[in-house]
């Protein structure tokens, strides 16, 4: 059911932890399953993501996708990090079972929330990040799903 890469990132997640005095912090929840994700970004003066860490109360798929997402944004510019969508993360993991796709949204949204926090603190604008990211990935969906 899970690919080898998903199992690897689930069993050996990269970049778990927190960053003190992070440049940006983003927290996102999924009201349906109750899982929570927090991402910390350390961004240098050239807007390059020097370090990234995550903490989650999340399922295995959330752990694996966040681990992969942090690997993908590390060393990138804040603009490049915007291209790390949940789709890109799933592709890098060779896929996720359909019922677990929503879990991968936690990482994407938490990265956006952390970038938003960074942009706000520094009075800059990040292209593609025009409104405050959601804090709950189901916030604007219908009840039945
Ligand atoms: Fe909640 Fe996966 S079941 S994030």
């Amino acid at each position: 059911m899970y690919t080898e890469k998903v199992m690897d990132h689930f069993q050996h997640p990269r970049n778990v932890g927190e960053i003190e005095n992070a440049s940006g912090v983003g927290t996102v929840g999924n009201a349906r399953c109750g899982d929570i994700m927090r991402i910390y970004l350390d961004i240098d003066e050239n807007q390059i993501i020097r370090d990234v860490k995550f903490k989650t109360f999340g399922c295995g798929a959330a752990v694996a996708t966040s681990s992969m997402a942090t690997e993908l944004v590390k060393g990138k510019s804040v603009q490049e990090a915007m291209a790390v969508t949940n789709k890109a993360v799933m592709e890098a993991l060779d896929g996720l079972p359909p019922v677990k796709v929503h879990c991968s949204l936690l990482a994407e949204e938490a990265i956006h929330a952390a970038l938003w926090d960074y942009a706000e603190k520094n009075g800059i604008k990040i292209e593609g990040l025009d409104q405050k990211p959601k804090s709950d990935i189901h916030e604007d969906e219908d009840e039945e799903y």
Side-chain angles (χ1 to χ4, degrees):
M1 170 167 183
Y2 288 111
T3 67
E4 254 171 58
K5 281 192 191 158
V6 172
M7 289 309 290
D8 177 35
H9 278 265
F10 168 58
Q11 279 163 339
H12 310 285
R14 297 12 166 218
N15 308 310
V16 173
E18 47 189 289
I19 297 174
E20 245 180 81
N21 303 319
S23 319
V25 182
T27 308
V28 178
N30 180 333
R32 289 260 153 68
C33 61
D35 291 345
I36 299 171
M37 173 75 54
R38 180 168 296 156
I39 298 244
Y40 301 82
L41 296 175
D42 176 23
I43 300 169
D44 73 10
E45 59 288 353
N46 298 315
Q47 299 192 0
I48 302 294
I49 299 172
R50 208 164 18 196
D51 199 10
V52 47
K53 297 265 190 249
F54 80 93
K55 273 201 346 202
T56 187
F57 287 103
C59 70
V63 170
T65 49
S66 306
S67 169
M68 180 55 95
T70 55
E71 287 285 272
L72 291 176
V73 300
K74 208 186 231 180
K76 300 262 170 72
S77 69
V78 295
Q79 204 57 63
E80 287 166 336
M82 287 297 295
V84 178
T85 58
N86 76 310
K87 237 179 126 225
V89 172
M90 285 195 294
E91 272 165 26
L93 287 168
D94 298 332
L96 268 184
V99 294
K100 286 290 177 184
V101 170
H102 72 278
C103 311
S104 64
L105 283 168
L106 271 182
E108 177 188 313
E109 288 296 332
I111 288 172
H112 288 173
L115 287 171
W116 178 271
D117 182 38
Y118 161 75
E120 256 196 342
K121 280 183 185 151
N122 290 279
I124 59 163
K125 258 192 93 50
I126 297 174
E127 216 179 298
L129 205 58
D130 305 324
Q131 46 176 318
K132 196 171 178 7
K134 301 179 257 188
S135 55
D136 171 3
I137 62 168
H138 286 298
E139 188 157 278
D140 52 9
E141 278 177 23
D142 284 331
E143 260 321 294
E144 84 269 38
Y145 145 70

